[in-house]
């Protein structure tokens, strides 16, 4: 789905989080950034994935990582999701899909025999210089932190 790969410069995105605070790639210069795209807030797989990242957040911080979750949900939906599960990282409300499109994770999907367009669960690990270090397309929702923190 995505055309971005290891060694590519990460898209210089800009979007608002669940509280209306802006985030852009340049805010994270000098840190490693995990940008994880998920289909929909508060659904079982997305909840398992985000909770696994939350439960390992101290390990991410110890390794100089920042985390950003992204979906096309509204700021209100993202805020409820973040508050309910006490996520220590921001969730971008990318309703116009600008960040989702920039990273190339929007496209045709299949679920229970039906085809539709949606977000492909994909994670990008971006280094301190804004270069993509890894693209994880086969996300294991319950073990995602282990996939990132090898």
């Amino acid at each position: 789905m995505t055309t971005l790969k290891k060694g590519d410069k990460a898209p210089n995105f800009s979007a608002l989080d669940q509280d209306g605070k802006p985030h852009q790639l340049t805010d994270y210069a000098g840190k490693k950034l995990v940008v994880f795209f998920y289909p929909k807030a508060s659904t079982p797989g997305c909840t398992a994935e985000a909770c696994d990242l939350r439960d390992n957040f101290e390990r991410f911080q110890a390794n100089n990582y920042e985390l950003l979750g992204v979906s096309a949900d509204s700021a209100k939906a993202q805020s409820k999701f973040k508050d309910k599960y006490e996520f220590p990282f921001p969730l971008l409300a990318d309703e116009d899909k600008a960040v989702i499109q920039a990273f190339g994770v929007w496209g045709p999907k299949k679920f229970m025999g039906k085809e539709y367009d949606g977000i492909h669960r994909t994670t990008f690990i971006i280094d301190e210089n804004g270069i993509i270090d890894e693209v994880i397309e086969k996300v294991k929702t319950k073990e995602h932190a282990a996939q990132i923190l090898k």
Side-chain angles (χ1 to χ4, degrees), residues 110-121:
K110 248 190 187 149
F111 183 67
M112 295 175 73
K114 288 191 171 72
E115 279 203 34
Y116 63 97
D117 282 345
I119 297 171
H120 289 257
R121 186 184 310 279

Side-chain angles (χ1 to χ4, degrees), residues 64-85:
N64 198 31
Y65 282 99
E66 292 286 338
L67 279 77
L68 269 183
V70 186
S71 76
D73 291 296
S74 67
K76 184 178 177 188
Q78 296 288 48
S79 185
K80 282 169 70 172
F81 188 37
K82 184 178 193 297
D83 291 347
K84 181 175 182 180
Y85 296 100

Side-chain angles (χ1 to χ4, degrees), residues 28-34 57-67 126-128 149:
Y28 298 93
K31 287 188 175 269
K32 295 178 220 163
L33 178 63
V34 174
F57 189 66
E58 286 181 8
R59 289 177 56 211
F60 283 106
Q61 287 190 305
N63 288 288
N64 198 31
Y65 282 99
E66 292 286 338
L67 279 77
I126 301 167
D127 75 10
E128 296 87 342
L149 296 167

Side-chain angles (χ1 to χ4, degrees), residues 81-109:
F81 188 37
K82 184 178 193 297
D83 291 347
K84 181 175 182 180
Y85 296 100
E86 299 177 357
F87 298 136
F89 43 79
L91 301 175
L92 301 184
D94 191 26
E95 290 185 90
D96 65 0
K97 301 179 188 69
V99 180
I100 292 162
Q101 300 277 13
F103 278 86
V105 296
W106 182 264
K109 295 175 74 168

